[in-house]
Amino acid sequence: MQTLVSLLAVRAAPPSLQDNTADLDRLRRVLARKLGDRWPTVPLARTMAVAAAFRRAGFEGVAVVNDLPGGPELVDFLPAMPRLLPMVALDLGTTHLEGSLKDGLSGTTLARAIRENGQLDYGADILTRIHFAARGNGLDLLHQRVIDSINDLIRELAASAGVDPEQIRAMSVSGNTSMVHFFLRLDPYHLCREPYIPVINQPDPFVAASLDLSLHPAAVVWVLPSAGSYFGGDLIAGILAADLDQSEAVSMLIDVGTNAEVVIGNRDWLMACAGAAGPALEGGVARMGMRATPGAVEHVTIDPEDGRIICRTIGQGPAQGICGSGMIDLVAGLYLARIIDMRGKFRAARAAALTPGRLIELDDGPAFVVVEASEAADGRPVVLTQPDLDALMRSKAAMYAILTTLVSQVGLEFDKLHRIWVAGAFGRHIEPRAAIILGMLPDLPLDTYQPLGNSSLAGAERFLLEQEVRRRCYRVVKKITYIELNVNQEFMIRFSGSRFIPHTDRALFPSVPFFNT
């Protein structure tokens, strides 16, 4: 394991009339022997600080060296080996920022935290923020807000681990291409306009002081590369976390957030695409929808014989709403209980017979009461409306169409996949069987599906700790072939056929019961 920052013990002979080598050259000469004859560079801004620290320590102590693409970089000198080498991995999400504080000496996790992205005040989605950035000082506001949010997160991590933020020596950042532009204060104008070109896909590492980050001023900040406007470093990190690029067998990675991003491939090739299948699965378009946070209904079972409903919330407290996994469970249960038909429409007579009083009429049509008002957190019943159902049907159709289009592009069938990694909160909470019943995921053995958790953060952590992962990162970018679904006619045809439960083609879902009405 060669971490992004190394601490190297150094002992050099003091200068004399017989050896008048300059202080930094003296230090670098000793370091070069430890670094395999690689001569470390020293940033001009750090030259005096490193030289003075080396002399103060009596020419003996610990060199702080960054492992950068151009070679080793000497940035500091300590009088003795510290107890910890703190480094931050950051998942730079559109809605939430999640970070972990790692110890580069042991590889252990010192702290982990999550907080809301302060940019939400300027728009819940990326497109709104891109348009906001083009008005007045919009980009400055978005940049400052995300920097403030990151600094708050860093201080929380440091406090949890009992370290000073200025002891933190490195940060890796994994995020979608738009969020990286806001973070680096780069104009995102062309990201959403043909031909969708970023300012940069592979930013060079830089020091924390240049963005006023609450780290050691000389801490190296390295943003994982993206492959284009719609294929960011967060998905590259997911590929690294799953070792998708190392496997001989062909596997798939699914990451559902605002969009559904999918990668298929192995060590020889990788193909990817993205589509708008995310918002309904996040609970973002449902009346009672919410993200997978405490109070969200995450699992639902409906007995098809007696209509008994059991709900489980994240945190086990009273229900405040329902998240994506709960929506999928619920709709799959409603279908098996025949309370909805294959088009995703309520069947009033069946609902009245099996679950009396649960199907109610609202201004925008029928709604199914999932959690009664008396059992909900704020005295409001948690309901699923017909518009909610319609949105989920579109999302599930888009998801399956994305997956089938991608596998067809490489001439494979689903049963040839070794593994399907499912990332994010979607992967942590989803029951694959419920998604199969809906026709959202292919009808495969359940052990094909493996949750991956926050793959963006997991990849960023490995980026900090493993030199080979840092090198692989750039090889992955070169291997990826991206399919643009917006102009893919095959995708549109597959989408139309997927807007039924489970599908218009029954042969694709042999394990799912089929009801004509």
Side-chain angles (χ1 to χ4, degrees):
M1 178 178 77
Q2 183 172 346
T3 57
L4 179 50
V5 181
S6 298
L7 300 180
L8 302 175
V10 170
R11 184 175 184 179
S16 65
L17 290 174
Q18 290 72 41
D19 180 5
N20 64 350
T21 305
D23 286 351
L24 270 186
D25 294 338
R26 181 180 302 276
L27 173 55
R28 292 196 291 180
R29 184 174 59 193
V30 176
L31 278 176
R33 291 196 290 269
K34 291 179 171 286
L35 293 167
D37 292 327
R38 292 181 301 159
W39 188 265
T41 61
V42 182
L44 178 61
R46 297 297 300 167
T47 298
M48 194 61 239
V50 176
F54 182 49
R55 182 169 278 273
R56 263 196 318 273
F59 309 99
E60 181 178 356
V62 178
V64 180
V65 180
N66 296 333
D67 177 39
L68 298 185
E73 179 185 65
L74 172 62
V75 294
D76 208 355
F77 195 83
L78 310 175
M81 186 68 71
R83 181 176 61 90
L84 300 170
L85 177 56
M87 301 186 288
V88 171
L90 174 66
D91 169 30
L92 185 64
T94 304
T95 307
H96 287 86
L97 310 178
E98 187 168 359
S100 62
L101 189 65
K102 307 292 288 188
D103 175 24
L105 299 181
S106 65
T108 58
T109 300
L110 303 174
R112 192 163 181 151
I114 185 169
R115 68 174 44 238
E116 204 171 72
N117 185 338
Q119 291 181 339
L120 286 170
D121 290 343
Y122 303 119
D125 60 273
I126 285 294
L127 191 57
T128 301
R129 293 182 208 174
I130 290 176
H131 292 319
F132 179 82
R135 300 197 299 269
N137 64 339
L139 179 57
D140 291 335
L141 291 171
L142 287 164
H143 169 72
Q144 192 56 53
R145 187 60 66 89
V146 77
I147 294 295
D148 290 344
S149 298
I150 292 170
N151 284 338
D152 288 343
L153 182 68
I154 290 170
R155 286 189 284 267
E156 181 179 346
L157 289 167
S160 296
V163 301
D164 189 294
E166 289 209 357
Q167 292 178 265
I168 300 172
R169 290 286 180 169
M171 183 168 76
S172 60
V173 181
S174 166
N176 66 55
T177 308
S178 297
M179 281 305 308
V180 167
H181 276 56
F182 298 140
F183 172 57
L184 299 179
R185 201 186 168 281
L186 304 176
D187 187 356
Y189 181 85
H190 295 288
L191 291 177
C192 63
R193 294 169 173 86
E194 286 190 34
Y196 314 112
I197 305 300
V199 172
I200 190 169
N201 276 327
Q202 300 184 21
D204 291 322
F206 56 91
V207 295
S210 62
L211 285 185
D212 293 324
L213 292 166
S214 296
L215 309 168
H216 188 284
V220 59
V221 180
W222 202 334
V223 178
L224 273 72
S226 58
S229 291
Y230 299 108
F231 197 108
D234 50 350
L235 200 52
I236 300 293
I239 293 170
L240 298 172
D243 284 324
L244 199 67
D245 61 314
Q246 300 293 290
S247 172
E248 182 177 354
V250 177
S251 295
M252 178 181 280
L253 169 66
I254 301 172
D255 191 354
V256 179
T258 306
N259 288 322
E261 299 164 323
V262 186
V263 186
I264 186 173
N266 62 5
R267 66 189 182 191
D268 298 318
W269 57 272
L270 294 165
M271 186 170 284
C273 64
L281 306 182
E282 288 189 309
V285 298
R287 176 189 294 247
M288 302 294 293
M290 60 184 291
R291 293 181 65 85
T293 53
V297 174
E298 62 171 338
H299 287 301
V300 181
T301 59
I302 302 176
D303 191 311
E305 301 299 326
D306 62 16
R308 183 166 176 252
I309 299 174
I310 300 174
C311 296
R312 189 177 81 214
T313 61
I314 298 174
Q316 310 301 316
Q320 298 175 10
I322 186 165
C323 65
S325 63
M327 287 271 287
I328 293 166
D329 274 6
L330 172 62
V331 178
L334 290 171
Y335 173 73
L336 293 179
R338 305 189 67 183
I339 295 171
I340 61 172
D341 61 22
M342 64 183 296
R343 300 169 303 152
K345 304 298 182 183
F346 285 114
R347 302 175 69 233
R350 175 64 174 171
L354 189 65
T355 56
R358 291 273 185 176
L359 192 64
I360 60 176
E361 196 68 28
L362 300 178
D363 292 341
D364 52 356
F368 189 84
V369 177
V370 185
V371 179
E372 303 278 4
S374 60
E375 299 176 2
D378 56 5
R380 288 189 310 151
V382 176
V383 300
L384 176 76
T385 68
Q386 187 62 60
D388 297 339
L389 258 175
D390 295 342
L392 182 63
M393 292 294 287
R394 290 191 297 272
S395 285
K396 83 94 183 173
M399 170 69 86
Y400 191 72
I402 290 168
L403 302 183
T404 51
T405 300
L406 191 56
V407 295
S408 72
Q409 290 287 313
V410 297
L412 286 177
E413 300 292 336
F414 284 121
D415 61 6
K416 302 302 181 186
L417 295 177
H418 171 67
R419 180 80 65 235
I420 296 180
W421 300 98
V422 189
F426 181 71
R428 275 198 302 270
H429 299 282
I430 190 178
E431 289 286 353
R433 180 60 190 163
I436 290 169
I437 290 167
L438 286 188
M440 178 182 294
L441 295 178
D443 197 348
L444 296 171
L446 296 184
D447 61 5
T448 305
Y449 297 96
Q450 295 292 323
L452 195 57
N454 187 337
S455 60
S456 175
L457 183 61
E461 290 175 338
R462 292 190 65 182
F463 191 92
L464 282 178
L465 299 176
E466 303 173 48
Q467 184 184 60
E468 179 55 26
V469 166
R470 294 192 290 278
R471 292 173 176 170
R472 275 170 52 196
C473 189
Y474 293 91
R475 295 198 294 266
V476 164
V477 171
K478 293 177 181 177
K479 277 202 283 189
I480 291 169
T481 300
Y482 186 80
I483 301 173
E484 181 53 69
L485 293 180
N486 291 333
V487 294
N488 190 297
Q489 190 61 35
E490 182 184 348
F491 169 75
M492 297 310 300
I493 294 169
R494 293 177 184 277
F495 175 74
S496 298
S498 302
R499 292 184 67 174
F500 297 86
I501 300 175
H503 197 277
T504 51
D505 185 352
R506 294 177 58 180
L508 295 173
F509 292 87
S511 75
V512 180
F514 181 81
F515 305 120
N516 281 312
T517 59

